[in-house]
Amino acid sequence: MKNIFLLGLVILFISCVKTPDSETIRLYARASDFYLQGRFAEVSEILSGMNNFPPALILNAKAEYFYGNLDKAEKLCRRAIKLRPSMLEASLYLSRVLRDKNEIAGAMQVIESLLSDNPQDIRTLRFAAELASDMGRFDEAAVFLDRAAEFSAESAMVLLDRARLRWVTGRVEDALEDLNRAKAMLPWDTPLLRSIINLENILNEVM
């Protein structure tokens, strides 16, 4: 619960110009905890009155989406986007909602707008590929997936950096887990793969 609370605080300060009051923070943290437990109806109940706080709106939208209330989820996403147009997650879930409502063209329009501002976002590229496949545009889907595979190397570098940090702090098993995940994310043989394997060999010797 403490970690969820801290995560909520980070999102609050990034997403909002005006710092929310302590009660808003408390309710948001509680709703975040319920969301992770899959208690979506309770999330919506807690956040129902937060109509001017973008993080709460998108969390509520996600809860309504997974609960199957697509119209409510769409309304909440659009409200969040209106208040904070730069919220990538709100636009991404709006696209998911539109797709599930069989509004494929509208969903693709949202995704194309997202990609114009976030061309390296793997989640958006992957979903764009799904939408393109839904529309029978398989060559376009392949292009989106190729781009996502290329950018996945950046995520592998994050895992490599964390593996090094974990090694330094004595968490060898956790470091090896990060290295295994990093290898799986690389789309082809790269110098980065050799760095991962070299560190993996060192850690195995330590083990």
Side-chain angles (χ1 to χ4, degrees), residues 14 19 23-24 26 32 36 46 55 77 93 96 100 107-108 110-111 119 121 135 144 146 150 155 160 182 195 200:
I14 292 176
T19 303
E23 178 64 9
T24 298
R26 185 187 70 81
S32 297
L36 292 179
I46 292 171
C77 285
Y93 268 88
R96 293 183 184 277
D100 286 3
M108 181 58 85
V110 174
I111 285 295
D121 185 74
M135 300 170 74
F144 285 131
D146 285 344
E150 179 181 351
S155 299
L160 175 59
S195 296
E200 189 176 42

Side-chain angles (χ1 to χ4, degrees), residues 100-134:
D100 286 3
K101 295 176 71 173
N102 205 33
E103 298 177 25
I104 306 299
M108 181 58 85
Q109 185 177 11
V110 174
I111 285 295
E112 288 174 347
S113 177
L114 266 182
L115 287 175
S116 67
D117 295 325
N118 305 277
Q120 298 184 12
D121 185 74
I122 295 175
R123 289 186 308 167
T124 306
L125 287 166
R126 179 177 173 273
F127 193 63
E130 290 183 22
L131 290 175
S133 294
D134 289 344

Side-chain angles (χ1 to χ4, degrees), residues 56-76:
L57 286 167
I58 186 56
L59 183 62
N60 197 358
K62 289 161 63 176
E64 294 288 3
Y65 173 77
F66 289 116
Y67 202 61
N69 295 328
L70 298 182
D71 289 337
K72 281 188 176 181
E74 179 181 354
K75 182 178 179 180
L76 290 163

